Amino acid sequence: MEFVIRRAYKYRVYPTKAQISNVENQFSMCRHLYNRSLAERTDAYEKDGTAISYNQQQNSLPELKKERPWYKGVYSQVLQDVLRRLDKGCQAFFRRVRTGGKPGFPKFRKRGQWNSITYPQYRKRPDSVITVPKIGRVRLVYHRQLPEDARVKTLTITREAGKWFACFPAEFPFTAEPEQGLTDPIGTDLGLIDFFYASDGSHVPVPKHLRKKEKQLKRLQRRLAKSEKRSEKYHRILKAVRKCHYRITCRRSDFLHKTASGLLKKSGLIFYEDLRISDMMRRPKPKQDEDGKYLPNNASAKAGLNKSISDAGWGRFPDILKYKALHLGKKTLAVPPQYTSQTCSACGKIVKKSLSVRTHRCACGFVANRDLSAALNILRIGMDTLQAPT
């Protein structure tokens, strides 16, 4: 089966000091344009409830360049992309208003909160050197080959923790590998002690990337809070904080990709729970007595649980597993998570137990690790789903 897929290719770039200064100035101008356009939309909405469109603000860009000539230093399509970003945020706001959700109008961007510029019609393929409009020729580390039939769609220059990257989203035809025999099916249960426990007994411990860096982050953030705002020391410590978070992100991403590849090497069919991570990480509702006094609601313990779930990367792992399986001709399937941990995988009876109980014990005599029993149940449900008549 052949279809078109989109994939982003990210490369490290090394701009000169003059180019870095130029790009940072463009970041600043893009941020000012975003805030100016947002203020214009906010005033119109608060005054008479009208909404200013993207086309109206885009058509005013030539006049803006006449009034403020320094905007000519930014490529025209980059300025248009800034307005598109704002328009997407405003459209999401009005959509939430119509559906009765929590509104939340787009927020103004502070200094240092704009770290990327996008060229929407950039079509040149990357090489050891790329030519970027209004910036010039920039050295690029071409460590990953772009497919010959790939068509570059855009270019985004980003800054992450003091490092510079060029991101090339591309489209190319892809022929999916025919599904293999789907041998050795396994069920996997995600956890916070073991990242996953498989039905074949294999398991991988949670690496806890954020937890291992908490002391360092706490020390840096304490120093940041005590330093004078916007001073040289403040920005130096802020750079160290961002660098620490960037390392955590890279290590977590590396772990998730390698873990998914390891699972797909030994199985052609993988079942996992269809977890709603956003619902699991919601803060608990406040409790009040008859007099209106607030009662303990375990919010502190829930915050620690939410941090552990986020640190483990539960939300991203299934997505990585699915796209890797597609390219390898293998299959993944999400199953309902209800009672997978409470049901005995041997006899099918419900054995209720709290999260602190890590061993499953049933009256039928079956004793096993709680997560292993859940993985066996996930495998059974997944196989029943596949075999059910459609």
Side-chain angles (χ1 to χ4, degrees):
M1 181 178 179
E2 185 172 333
F3 50 92
V4 176
I5 64 172
R6 296 196 69 180
R7 178 179 287 181
Y9 290 79
K10 189 175 180 181
Y11 303 94
R12 181 82 182 270
V13 293
Y14 290 89
T16 64
K17 289 185 178 180
Q19 288 172 337
I20 290 175
S21 178
N22 180 10
V23 179
E24 287 178 342
N25 286 335
Q26 292 192 40
F27 285 171
S28 180
M29 286 184 276
C30 289
R31 182 177 67 88
H32 280 93
L33 175 63
Y34 181 93
N35 289 341
R36 178 184 182 277
S37 303
L38 177 56
E40 187 179 13
R41 287 182 179 242
T42 305
D43 293 343
Y45 180 75
E46 292 178 348
K47 186 177 181 181
D48 50 10
T50 58
I52 299 177
S53 67
Y54 162 77
N55 289 331
Q56 288 176 295
Q57 293 188 319
Q58 182 204 9
N59 294 337
S60 66
L61 283 177
E63 291 297 325
L64 179 63
K65 288 184 177 180
K66 291 180 181 178
E67 296 175 7
R68 305 181 180 186
W70 52 87
Y71 276 110
K72 295 179 180 179
V74 185
Y75 194 56
S76 59
Q77 292 181 6
V78 172
L79 297 176
Q80 293 168 12
D81 180 73
V82 172
L83 298 179
R84 286 194 189 94
R85 294 190 199 183
L86 174 61
D87 188 58
K88 286 181 181 178
C90 291
Q91 287 181 6
F93 163 75
F94 288 113
R95 184 169 60 250
R96 289 192 295 269
V97 170
R98 288 194 301 269
T99 57
K102 189 176 181 180
F105 209 73
K107 296 182 179 180
F108 292 96
R109 300 294 182 91
K110 299 179 182 178
R111 178 185 171 187
Q113 289 185 343
W114 196 279
N115 292 298
S116 68
I117 53 176
T118 299
Y119 298 84
Q121 296 182 13
Y122 193 91
R123 297 295 181 266
K124 298 179 181 178
R125 294 174 64 88
D127 202 345
S128 57
V129 176
I130 57 172
T131 303
V132 186
K134 299 290 184 179
I135 297 175
R137 290 167 61 84
V138 183
R139 187 164 64 91
L140 178 143
V141 180
Y142 193 51
H143 71 282
R144 185 183 184 191
Q145 192 73 24
L146 192 68
E148 291 296 331
D149 53 357
R151 292 186 302 159
V152 175
K153 304 297 290 184
T154 62
L155 166 64
T156 301
I157 303 295
T158 62
R159 176 181 58 191
E160 299 178 20
K163 297 179 176 64
W164 294 88
F165 299 91
C167 186
F168 296 86
E171 286 184 354
F172 54 92
F174 174 74
T175 303
E177 294 286 339
E179 288 187 359
Q180 302 167 1
L182 304 179
T183 56
D184 302 323
I186 61 173
T188 57
D189 179 63
L190 297 180
L192 296 177
I193 297 177
D194 292 299
F195 177 72
F196 78 83
Y197 217 111
S199 55
D200 62 356
S202 62
H203 54 96
V204 174
V206 172
K208 300 182 180 180
H209 298 293
L210 177 61
R211 298 287 187 180
K212 291 177 181 178
K213 286 285 187 178
E214 271 189 325
K215 288 185 178 179
Q216 181 182 353
L217 277 172
K218 184 177 180 180
R219 183 173 66 252
L220 289 171
Q221 288 167 345
R222 187 185 296 115
R223 290 175 59 194
L224 183 68
K226 291 182 179 179
S227 60
E228 183 181 353
K229 299 288 184 182
R230 311 302 176 194
S231 63
E232 182 180 350
K233 180 182 178 182
Y234 177 89
H235 287 291
R236 186 175 68 251
I237 301 173
L238 180 61
K239 182 179 178 181
V241 172
R242 288 173 175 170
K243 187 175 181 179
C244 188
H245 278 294
Y246 177 74
R247 286 179 174 174
I248 293 170
T249 302
C250 290
R251 290 173 183 175
R252 182 185 297 120
S253 179
D254 179 70
F255 167 77
L256 294 175
H257 279 274
K258 289 180 177 177
T259 303
S261 297
L263 269 175
L264 290 167
K265 280 183 181 178
K266 63 181 182 179
S267 175
L269 178 59
I270 299 174
F271 301 105
Y272 61 91
E273 290 179 304
D274 187 15
L275 300 174
R276 295 185 179 181
I277 306 299
S278 58
D279 292 344
M280 293 173 65
M281 296 180 64
R282 283 182 181 173
R283 64 176 64 181
K285 293 182 179 180
K287 295 181 180 179
Q288 292 179 290
D289 58 13
E290 297 177 355
D291 300 329
K293 184 180 178 181
Y294 286 98
L295 302 173
N297 63 345
N298 292 328
S300 179
K302 186 66 169 60
L305 178 64
N306 293 348
K307 182 189 288 188
S308 296
I309 293 174
S310 178
D311 187 19
W314 282 8
R316 193 178 170 202
F317 183 69
D319 295 333
I320 295 174
L321 201 61
K322 281 187 282 187
Y323 97 80
K324 284 182 178 290
L326 175 66
H327 284 73
L328 295 173
K330 299 185 178 183
K331 190 173 182 179
T332 61
L333 181 66
V335 303
Q338 288 80 9
Y339 297 104
T340 54
S341 296
Q342 307 291 339
T343 304
C344 178
S345 56
C347 66
K349 291 183 178 179
I350 301 295
V351 182
K352 292 187 177 181
K353 45 190 174 291
S354 63
L355 284 173
S356 60
V357 179
R358 306 310 306 169
T359 302
H360 171 82
R361 299 179 186 275
C362 182
C364 69
F366 180 71
V367 179
N369 182 285
R370 172 200 182 105
D371 297 333
L372 174 59
S373 178
L376 291 170
N377 285 325
I378 292 168
L379 175 61
R380 175 182 52 80
I381 295 170
M383 294 302 294
D384 290 345
T385 303
L386 286 180
Q387 295 169 6
T390 55

Short mmCIF file of all heavy atoms in Angstrom, two decimals, residues 155-210:
data_model
loop_
_atom_site.label_atom_id
_atom_site.label_comp_id
_atom_site.label_asym_id
_atom_site.label_seq_id
_atom_site.Cartn_x
_atom_site.Cartn_y
_atom_site.Cartn_z
N LEU A 155 10.90 25.39 6.26
CA LEU A 155 12.13 25.41 7.07
C LEU A 155 11.85 26.20 8.34
O LEU A 155 11.28 27.31 8.28
CB LEU A 155 13.28 26.07 6.30
CG LEU A 155 14.50 26.46 7.13
CD1 LEU A 155 15.18 25.23 7.72
CD2 LEU A 155 15.50 27.26 6.31
N THR A 156 12.23 25.63 9.47
CA THR A 156 12.09 26.32 10.75
C THR A 156 13.45 26.36 11.45
O THR A 156 14.09 25.33 11.63
CB THR A 156 11.07 25.61 11.67
OG1 THR A 156 9.80 25.56 11.00
CG2 THR A 156 10.92 26.33 12.99
N ILE A 157 13.88 27.56 11.80
CA ILE A 157 15.11 27.75 12.56
C ILE A 157 14.73 27.92 14.02
O ILE A 157 13.93 28.81 14.37
CB ILE A 157 15.90 28.99 12.08
CG1 ILE A 157 16.22 28.87 10.59
CG2 ILE A 157 17.17 29.16 12.88
CD1 ILE A 157 17.16 27.75 10.24
N THR A 158 15.25 27.07 14.89
CA THR A 158 14.89 27.10 16.30
C THR A 158 16.14 27.19 17.18
O THR A 158 17.23 26.79 16.78
CB THR A 158 14.11 25.83 16.71
OG1 THR A 158 14.94 24.69 16.51
CG2 THR A 158 12.85 25.69 15.88
N ARG A 159 15.91 27.72 18.38
CA ARG A 159 16.96 27.76 19.40
C ARG A 159 16.45 26.99 20.62
O ARG A 159 15.38 27.27 21.15
CB ARG A 159 17.27 29.21 19.79
CG ARG A 159 18.28 29.35 20.92
CD ARG A 159 18.53 30.80 21.26
NE ARG A 159 17.29 31.47 21.63
CZ ARG A 159 17.18 32.80 21.78
NH1 ARG A 159 18.22 33.57 21.54
NH2 ARG A 159 16.02 33.34 22.12
N GLU A 160 17.23 26.00 21.03
CA GLU A 160 16.88 25.17 22.18
C GLU A 160 18.06 25.10 23.12
O GLU A 160 19.09 24.52 22.78
CB GLU A 160 16.48 23.76 21.73
CG GLU A 160 15.28 23.72 20.81
CD GLU A 160 14.95 22.31 20.35
OE1 GLU A 160 15.39 21.36 21.04
OE2 GLU A 160 14.26 22.15 19.33
N ALA A 161 17.92 25.70 24.28
CA ALA A 161 18.96 25.68 25.31
C ALA A 161 20.30 26.15 24.77
O ALA A 161 21.34 25.56 25.04
CB ALA A 161 19.09 24.28 25.91
N GLY A 162 20.28 27.21 23.97
CA GLY A 162 21.52 27.77 23.43
C GLY A 162 22.04 27.08 22.19
O GLY A 162 23.04 27.52 21.61
N LYS A 163 21.39 26.00 21.75
CA LYS A 163 21.78 25.29 20.54
C LYS A 163 20.83 25.67 19.41
O LYS A 163 19.65 25.94 19.65
CB LYS A 163 21.77 23.77 20.77
CG LYS A 163 22.77 23.28 21.81
CD LYS A 163 22.67 21.77 21.98
CE LYS A 163 23.72 21.24 22.96
NZ LYS A 163 23.54 21.76 24.32
N TRP A 164 21.35 25.63 18.18
CA TRP A 164 20.56 26.04 17.03
C TRP A 164 20.28 24.84 16.13
O TRP A 164 21.16 24.01 15.90
CB TRP A 164 21.29 27.13 16.25
CG TRP A 164 21.41 28.40 17.03
CD1 TRP A 164 22.41 28.74 17.90
CD2 TRP A 164 20.50 29.49 17.05
NE1 TRP A 164 22.19 29.97 18.46
CE2 TRP A 164 21.01 30.47 17.95
CE3 TRP A 164 19.30 29.76 16.40
CZ2 TRP A 164 20.36 31.67 18.19
CZ3 TRP A 164 18.65 30.97 16.64
CH2 TRP A 164 19.18 31.89 17.53
N PHE A 165 19.04 24.78 15.61
CA PHE A 165 18.63 23.66 14.77
C PHE A 165 17.84 24.16 13.57
O PHE A 165 17.19 25.21 13.63
CB PHE A 165 17.77 22.67 15.57
CG PHE A 165 18.46 22.05 16.75
CD1 PHE A 165 18.39 22.63 18.01
CD2 PHE A 165 19.19 20.88 16.60
CE1 PHE A 165 19.03 22.06 19.10
CE2 PHE A 165 19.83 20.30 17.68
CZ PHE A 165 19.76 20.90 18.92
N ALA A 166 17.93 23.39 12.49
CA ALA A 166 17.11 23.62 11.30
C ALA A 166 16.20 22.40 11.13
O ALA A 166 16.68 21.27 11.08
CB ALA A 166 17.98 23.83 10.07
N CYS A 167 14.91 22.64 11.03
CA CYS A 167 13.93 21.55 10.92
C CYS A 167 13.27 21.63 9.54
O CYS A 167 12.75 22.69 9.16
CB CYS A 167 12.89 21.67 12.02
SG CYS A 167 11.72 20.31 12.09
N PHE A 168 13.32 20.51 8.81
CA PHE A 168 12.78 20.45 7.45
C PHE A 168 11.62 19.44 7.41
O PHE A 168 11.85 18.24 7.22
CB PHE A 168 13.85 19.99 6.46
CG PHE A 168 15.02 20.93 6.32
CD1 PHE A 168 16.10 20.84 7.18
CD2 PHE A 168 15.03 21.88 5.32
CE1 PHE A 168 17.17 21.70 7.05
CE2 PHE A 168 16.10 22.74 5.18
CZ PHE A 168 17.17 22.66 6.04
N PRO A 169 10.36 19.87 7.59
CA PRO A 169 9.24 18.96 7.35
C PRO A 169 9.18 18.62 5.85
O PRO A 169 9.26 19.51 5.01
CB PRO A 169 8.02 19.77 7.78
CG PRO A 169 8.57 20.83 8.69
CD PRO A 169 9.92 21.15 8.15
N ALA A 170 9.06 17.33 5.54
CA ALA A 170 9.08 16.89 4.14
C ALA A 170 7.99 15.87 3.90
O ALA A 170 7.56 15.15 4.81
CB ALA A 170 10.44 16.31 3.80
N GLU A 171 7.56 15.81 2.64
CA GLU A 171 6.59 14.81 2.19
C GLU A 171 7.26 13.87 1.21
O GLU A 171 8.03 14.30 0.37
CB GLU A 171 5.40 15.48 1.49
CG GLU A 171 4.44 16.18 2.40
CD GLU A 171 3.24 16.75 1.65
OE1 GLU A 171 3.25 16.67 0.40
OE2 GLU A 171 2.33 17.26 2.29
N PHE A 172 6.96 12.58 1.34
CA PHE A 172 7.50 11.64 0.37
C PHE A 172 6.59 10.41 0.31
O PHE A 172 5.94 10.05 1.29
CB PHE A 172 8.94 11.23 0.70
CG PHE A 172 9.13 10.70 2.08
CD1 PHE A 172 9.05 9.35 2.36
CD2 PHE A 172 9.42 11.57 3.14
CE1 PHE A 172 9.23 8.85 3.63
CE2 PHE A 172 9.61 11.09 4.42
CZ PHE A 172 9.52 9.73 4.66
N PRO A 173 6.53 9.79 -0.87
CA PRO A 173 5.70 8.57 -0.99
C PRO A 173 6.29 7.44 -0.18
O PRO A 173 7.51 7.27 -0.10
CB PRO A 173 5.74 8.27 -2.50
CG PRO A 173 6.98 8.93 -2.98
CD PRO A 173 7.19 10.14 -2.12
N PHE A 174 5.41 6.70 0.44
CA PHE A 174 5.86 5.61 1.30
C PHE A 174 5.04 4.36 1.00
O PHE A 174 3.81 4.42 0.94
CB PHE A 174 5.72 5.99 2.77
CG PHE A 174 6.04 4.87 3.72
CD1 PHE A 174 7.34 4.48 3.94
CD2 PHE A 174 5.02 4.21 4.39
CE1 PHE A 174 7.64 3.45 4.81
CE2 PHE A 174 5.30 3.18 5.27
CZ PHE A 174 6.62 2.80 5.47
N THR A 175 5.73 3.28 0.79
CA THR A 175 5.06 1.99 0.57
C THR A 175 5.15 1.18 1.85
O THR A 175 6.24 0.79 2.27
CB THR A 175 5.71 1.22 -0.59
OG1 THR A 175 5.67 2.03 -1.77
CG2 THR A 175 4.98 -0.08 -0.84
N ALA A 176 4.01 0.95 2.46
CA ALA A 176 3.99 0.21 3.74
C ALA A 176 4.35 -1.25 3.50
O ALA A 176 3.91 -1.87 2.52
CB ALA A 176 2.62 0.31 4.39
N GLU A 177 5.16 -1.76 4.38
CA GLU A 177 5.52 -3.17 4.30
C GLU A 177 4.28 -4.02 4.56
O GLU A 177 3.48 -3.71 5.44
CB GLU A 177 6.59 -3.50 5.34
CG GLU A 177 7.93 -2.81 5.10
CD GLU A 177 8.68 -3.43 3.94
OE1 GLU A 177 8.38 -4.60 3.60
OE2 GLU A 177 9.56 -2.76 3.37
N PRO A 178 4.08 -5.08 3.79
CA PRO A 178 2.92 -5.95 4.07
C PRO A 178 3.04 -6.55 5.46
O PRO A 178 4.15 -6.86 5.92
CB PRO A 178 3.02 -7.02 2.98
CG PRO A 178 4.45 -7.01 2.55
CD PRO A 178 4.93 -5.59 2.71
N GLU A 179 1.89 -6.68 6.11
CA GLU A 179 1.90 -7.23 7.47
C GLU A 179 2.47 -8.64 7.45
O GLU A 179 2.09 -9.48 6.64
CB GLU A 179 0.49 -7.23 8.05
CG GLU A 179 0.00 -5.84 8.41
CD GLU A 179 -1.32 -5.88 9.15
OE1 GLU A 179 -1.85 -7.00 9.36
OE2 GLU A 179 -1.82 -4.81 9.51
N GLN A 180 3.39 -8.86 8.34
CA GLN A 180 4.03 -10.17 8.42
C GLN A 180 3.11 -11.14 9.17
O GLN A 180 1.94 -10.86 9.38
CB GLN A 180 5.39 -10.02 9.12
CG GLN A 180 6.30 -9.03 8.41
CD GLN A 180 7.50 -8.64 9.26
OE1 GLN A 180 7.66 -9.11 10.39
NE2 GLN A 180 8.34 -7.77 8.73
N GLY A 181 3.65 -12.25 9.58
CA GLY A 181 2.85 -13.23 10.28
C GLY A 181 2.35 -12.77 11.63
O GLY A 181 1.54 -13.44 12.25
N LEU A 182 2.82 -11.59 12.07
CA LEU A 182 2.44 -11.06 13.38
C LEU A 182 2.67 -12.09 14.47
O LEU A 182 1.80 -12.42 15.28
CB LEU A 182 0.97 -10.59 13.37
CG LEU A 182 0.59 -9.54 12.30
CD1 LEU A 182 -0.87 -9.20 12.38
CD2 LEU A 182 1.44 -8.30 12.42
N THR A 183 3.90 -12.61 14.45
CA THR A 183 4.25 -13.66 15.40
C THR A 183 4.55 -13.09 16.78
O THR A 183 4.79 -11.90 16.95
CB THR A 183 5.49 -14.40 14.89
OG1 THR A 183 6.55 -13.45 14.69
CG2 THR A 183 5.20 -15.10 13.57
N ASP A 184 4.54 -13.99 17.75
CA ASP A 184 4.89 -13.66 19.14
C ASP A 184 4.14 -12.44 19.67
O ASP A 184 4.74 -11.45 20.05
CB ASP A 184 6.41 -13.41 19.26
CG ASP A 184 7.21 -14.61 18.82
OD1 ASP A 184 6.77 -15.74 19.08
OD2 ASP A 184 8.28 -14.43 18.20
N PRO A 185 2.80 -12.47 19.69
CA PRO A 185 2.06 -11.33 20.24
C PRO A 185 2.33 -11.18 21.72
O PRO A 185 2.45 -12.17 22.45
CB PRO A 185 0.59 -11.70 19.96
CG PRO A 185 0.59 -13.18 19.88
CD PRO A 185 1.91 -13.57 19.27
N ILE A 186 2.43 -9.95 22.17
CA ILE A 186 2.65 -9.68 23.60
C ILE A 186 1.75 -8.53 24.03
O ILE A 186 1.40 -7.65 23.24
CB ILE A 186 4.13 -9.35 23.92
CG1 ILE A 186 4.58 -8.10 23.16
CG2 ILE A 186 5.04 -10.51 23.63
CD1 ILE A 186 5.97 -7.63 23.57
N GLY A 187 1.39 -8.55 25.30
CA GLY A 187 0.67 -7.46 25.92
C GLY A 187 1.61 -6.70 26.83
O GLY A 187 2.48 -7.30 27.47
N THR A 188 1.46 -5.38 26.89
CA THR A 188 2.34 -4.56 27.71
C THR A 188 1.52 -3.69 28.65
O THR A 188 0.50 -3.11 28.25
CB THR A 188 3.22 -3.65 26.83
OG1 THR A 188 2.39 -2.84 25.99
CG2 THR A 188 4.15 -4.48 25.96
N ASP A 189 1.96 -3.62 29.88
CA ASP A 189 1.30 -2.80 30.89
C ASP A 189 2.29 -1.73 31.36
O ASP A 189 3.37 -2.06 31.87
CB ASP A 189 0.85 -3.66 32.08
CG ASP A 189 0.20 -2.83 33.16
OD1 ASP A 189 -0.86 -2.24 32.88
OD2 ASP A 189 0.74 -2.77 34.28
N LEU A 190 1.96 -0.46 31.14
CA LEU A 190 2.82 0.64 31.56
C LEU A 190 2.71 0.86 33.06
O LEU A 190 1.63 0.71 33.65
CB LEU A 190 2.45 1.92 30.82
CG LEU A 190 2.62 1.91 29.30
CD1 LEU A 190 2.21 3.26 28.71
CD2 LEU A 190 4.07 1.60 28.91
N GLY A 191 3.83 1.22 33.67
CA GLY A 191 3.85 1.45 35.12
C GLY A 191 4.86 2.50 35.50
O GLY A 191 5.57 3.06 34.66
N LEU A 192 4.94 2.77 36.80
CA LEU A 192 5.85 3.79 37.32
C LEU A 192 7.00 3.18 38.12
O LEU A 192 7.89 3.91 38.57
CB LEU A 192 5.08 4.79 38.20
CG LEU A 192 4.02 5.60 37.47
CD1 LEU A 192 3.28 6.51 38.45
CD2 LEU A 192 4.64 6.43 36.36
N ILE A 193 6.98 1.88 38.30
CA ILE A 193 8.13 1.17 38.87
C ILE A 193 8.90 0.52 37.72
O ILE A 193 10.09 0.76 37.54
CB ILE A 193 7.68 0.12 39.91
CG1 ILE A 193 7.00 0.82 41.09
CG2 ILE A 193 8.88 -0.70 40.38
CD1 ILE A 193 6.45 -0.12 42.13
N ASP A 194 8.19 -0.28 36.94
CA ASP A 194 8.70 -0.76 35.66
C ASP A 194 7.99 0.03 34.57
O ASP A 194 6.76 0.15 34.59
CB ASP A 194 8.42 -2.26 35.48
CG ASP A 194 9.23 -3.10 36.46
OD1 ASP A 194 10.46 -3.04 36.41
OD2 ASP A 194 8.59 -3.78 37.29
N PHE A 195 8.76 0.58 33.62
CA PHE A 195 8.14 1.37 32.57
C PHE A 195 7.11 0.54 31.82
O PHE A 195 6.03 1.02 31.51
CB PHE A 195 9.22 1.89 31.61
CG PHE A 195 8.66 2.67 30.46
CD1 PHE A 195 8.13 3.93 30.66
CD2 PHE A 195 8.62 2.14 29.19
CE1 PHE A 195 7.57 4.66 29.62
CE2 PHE A 195 8.08 2.84 28.13
CZ PHE A 195 7.56 4.11 28.35
N PHE A 196 7.47 -0.69 31.50
CA PHE A 196 6.47 -1.61 30.98
C PHE A 196 6.79 -3.00 31.51
O PHE A 196 7.93 -3.35 31.77
CB PHE A 196 6.41 -1.60 29.45
CG PHE A 196 7.51 -2.37 28.77
CD1 PHE A 196 7.45 -3.74 28.60
CD2 PHE A 196 8.63 -1.71 28.29
CE1 PHE A 196 8.46 -4.45 27.98
CE2 PHE A 196 9.66 -2.39 27.67
CZ PHE A 196 9.58 -3.77 27.52
N TYR A 197 5.74 -3.79 31.67
CA TYR A 197 5.87 -5.20 32.01
C TYR A 197 5.16 -5.97 30.91
O TYR A 197 3.98 -5.76 30.65
CB TYR A 197 5.24 -5.50 33.37
CG TYR A 197 6.01 -6.52 34.19
CD1 TYR A 197 6.68 -6.15 35.34
CD2 TYR A 197 6.06 -7.85 33.80
CE1 TYR A 197 7.39 -7.06 36.10
CE2 TYR A 197 6.77 -8.78 34.55
CZ TYR A 197 7.43 -8.38 35.69
OH TYR A 197 8.15 -9.31 36.43
N ALA A 198 5.87 -6.85 30.21
CA ALA A 198 5.30 -7.58 29.08
C ALA A 198 4.76 -8.93 29.53
O ALA A 198 5.16 -9.47 30.58
CB ALA A 198 6.35 -7.76 27.99
N SER A 199 3.86 -9.46 28.74
CA SER A 199 3.24 -10.74 29.07
C SER A 199 4.22 -11.91 29.00
O SER A 199 3.94 -12.98 29.54
CB SER A 199 2.06 -11.01 28.13
OG SER A 199 2.49 -10.95 26.77
N ASP A 200 5.38 -11.71 28.35
CA ASP A 200 6.39 -12.78 28.32
C ASP A 200 7.33 -12.72 29.52
O ASP A 200 8.30 -13.47 29.60
CB ASP A 200 7.19 -12.71 27.01
CG ASP A 200 7.96 -11.40 26.87
OD1 ASP A 200 7.81 -10.52 27.74
OD2 ASP A 200 8.70 -11.26 25.88
N GLY A 201 7.06 -11.79 30.46
CA GLY A 201 7.87 -11.68 31.68
C GLY A 201 8.96 -10.65 31.60
O GLY A 201 9.57 -10.31 32.63
N SER A 202 9.26 -10.10 30.43
CA SER A 202 10.30 -9.07 30.31
C SER A 202 9.78 -7.74 30.84
O SER A 202 8.58 -7.45 30.76
CB SER A 202 10.73 -8.93 28.85
OG SER A 202 9.65 -8.52 28.05
N HIS A 203 10.67 -6.94 31.37
CA HIS A 203 10.29 -5.63 31.90
C HIS A 203 11.49 -4.70 31.88
O HIS A 203 12.64 -5.13 31.90
CB HIS A 203 9.71 -5.76 33.31
CG HIS A 203 10.60 -6.48 34.27
ND1 HIS A 203 11.46 -5.84 35.15
CD2 HIS A 203 10.79 -7.81 34.49
CE1 HIS A 203 12.12 -6.73 35.85
NE2 HIS A 203 11.73 -7.94 35.47
N VAL A 204 11.20 -3.40 31.85
CA VAL A 204 12.23 -2.36 31.81
C VAL A 204 11.95 -1.38 32.94
O VAL A 204 10.83 -0.85 33.02
CB VAL A 204 12.23 -1.63 30.45
CG1 VAL A 204 13.20 -0.45 30.47
CG2 VAL A 204 12.58 -2.59 29.32
N PRO A 205 12.90 -1.11 33.82
CA PRO A 205 12.65 -0.17 34.92
C PRO A 205 12.49 1.27 34.40
O PRO A 205 13.03 1.63 33.36
CB PRO A 205 13.90 -0.31 35.80
CG PRO A 205 14.95 -0.85 34.89
CD PRO A 205 14.24 -1.71 33.89
N VAL A 206 11.75 2.06 35.13
CA VAL A 206 11.57 3.47 34.78
C VAL A 206 12.87 4.22 35.01
O VAL A 206 13.45 4.15 36.11
CB VAL A 206 10.44 4.10 35.62
CG1 VAL A 206 10.37 5.59 35.40
CG2 VAL A 206 9.10 3.46 35.27
N PRO A 207 13.38 4.96 34.02
CA PRO A 207 14.68 5.64 34.21
C PRO A 207 14.62 6.86 35.12
O PRO A 207 15.64 7.27 35.67
CB PRO A 207 15.05 6.04 32.77
CG PRO A 207 13.75 6.12 32.05
CD PRO A 207 12.85 5.08 32.67
N LYS A 208 13.44 7.51 35.27
CA LYS A 208 13.27 8.68 36.15
C LYS A 208 14.27 9.78 35.81
O LYS A 208 15.05 10.22 36.67
CB LYS A 208 13.40 8.27 37.62
CG LYS A 208 12.38 7.24 38.06
CD LYS A 208 12.53 6.90 39.53
CE LYS A 208 11.49 5.88 39.97
NZ LYS A 208 11.61 5.52 41.39
N HIS A 209 14.23 10.26 34.57
CA HIS A 209 15.18 11.28 34.13
C HIS A 209 15.01 12.59 34.91
O HIS A 209 16.00 13.20 35.31
CB HIS A 209 15.00 11.55 32.64
CG HIS A 209 15.26 10.34 31.78
ND1 HIS A 209 16.51 9.79 31.64
CD2 HIS A 209 14.42 9.57 31.04
CE1 HIS A 209 16.44 8.74 30.83
NE2 HIS A 209 15.19 8.58 30.46
N LEU A 210 13.78 13.02 35.11
CA LEU A 210 13.54 14.26 35.83
C LEU A 210 13.89 14.12 37.30
O LEU A 210 14.51 15.03 37.89
CB LEU A 210 12.07 14.68 35.66
CG LEU A 210 11.65 15.95 36.43
CD1 LEU A 210 12.45 17.15 35.96
CD2 LEU A 210 10.15 16.20 36.27
#
